[in-house]
Amino acid sequence: MESFKIKHFEKENPGLSFPWFRTLKEVETLTIRQHLAGVLSLPTDVTPLVLTQCIADRSVTHLGFNAEADDFNIEVLLHRLEITPASTIYINWYRFDRIDEMRFEDITRYFDYLWYPGPDDIDFFDFTASWVLSIDHDGRVSSVHV
């Protein structure tokens, strides 16, 4: 998690600590990339860029949702997509080489402190890797289900 996001959260929420998260170690991100690649029927040694492009190419855009909307809610979106996420979710910040783990309820509650319009293209998924929810820098929402 980028430190400025933690500082911004704590400045706007005096007395509250930033919610629990864990930055995955390099070996864990490699394992996740290999697992995602396997689920997507790609070679397990696929590069992070090719994995990212493959997910983007296979994703369906959800025109009725935009992360910049005041009423945007990941929980509602996943429910409509008939996805039941695990209690902890992975957040991919770039090309599946910087991944954090966070409780799903905190992602839902504090989404506006995690995703920033403009610079952030992020992906959410859980340990099953059977779905990936992507939000681009303009707030466009897409997903791929396996």
Side-chain angles (χ1 to χ4, degrees):
M1 190 69 58
E2 295 171 311
S3 62
F4 81 89
K5 292 182 181 190
I6 296 169
K7 289 176 186 172
H8 179 232
F9 174 88
E10 291 176 348
K11 181 180 179 184
E12 289 199 0
N13 298 279
L16 282 181
S17 296
F18 192 82
W20 174 86
F21 74 95
R22 180 178 78 90
T23 300
L24 275 58
K25 297 176 183 166
E26 190 174 327
V27 67
E28 291 174 297
T29 62
L30 175 60
T31 300
I32 285 175
R33 279 198 312 269
Q34 291 171 337
H35 182 58
L36 276 165
V39 169
L40 294 168
S41 300
L42 298 170
T44 56
D45 63 347
V46 67
T47 67
L49 176 59
V50 170
L51 178 59
T52 301
Q53 290 173 333
C54 177
I55 289 170
D57 291 346
R58 295 183 188 188
S59 289
V60 173
T61 301
H62 303 290
L63 298 176
F65 291 91
N66 188 291
E68 289 192 87
D70 290 337
D71 62 347
F72 179 75
N73 184 301
I74 288 181
E75 186 172 17
V76 169
L77 172 59
L78 291 179
H79 178 73
R80 289 201 183 149
L81 297 175
E82 299 181 355
I83 295 171
T84 303
S87 60
T88 60
I89 300 293
Y90 297 116
I91 306 170
N92 169 47
W93 295 106
Y94 189 52
R95 291 186 177 158
F96 295 92
D97 55 358
R98 286 183 34 229
I99 300 174
D100 287 334
E101 180 181 22
M102 195 170 190
R103 287 187 285 273
F104 178 66
E105 66 185 60
D106 290 333
I107 290 171
T108 299
R109 183 178 298 132
Y110 302 117
F111 176 77
D112 291 339
Y113 295 99
L114 302 175
W115 175 78
Y116 285 46
D120 284 341
D121 292 322
I122 61 175
D123 302 292
F124 298 95
F125 59 100
D126 66 14
F127 70 91
T128 66
S130 63
W131 59 273
V132 178
L133 178 70
S134 302
I135 301 175
D136 79 2
H137 56 277
D138 290 325
R140 285 185 297 259
V141 178
S142 60
S143 67
V144 61
H145 306 187
V146 182

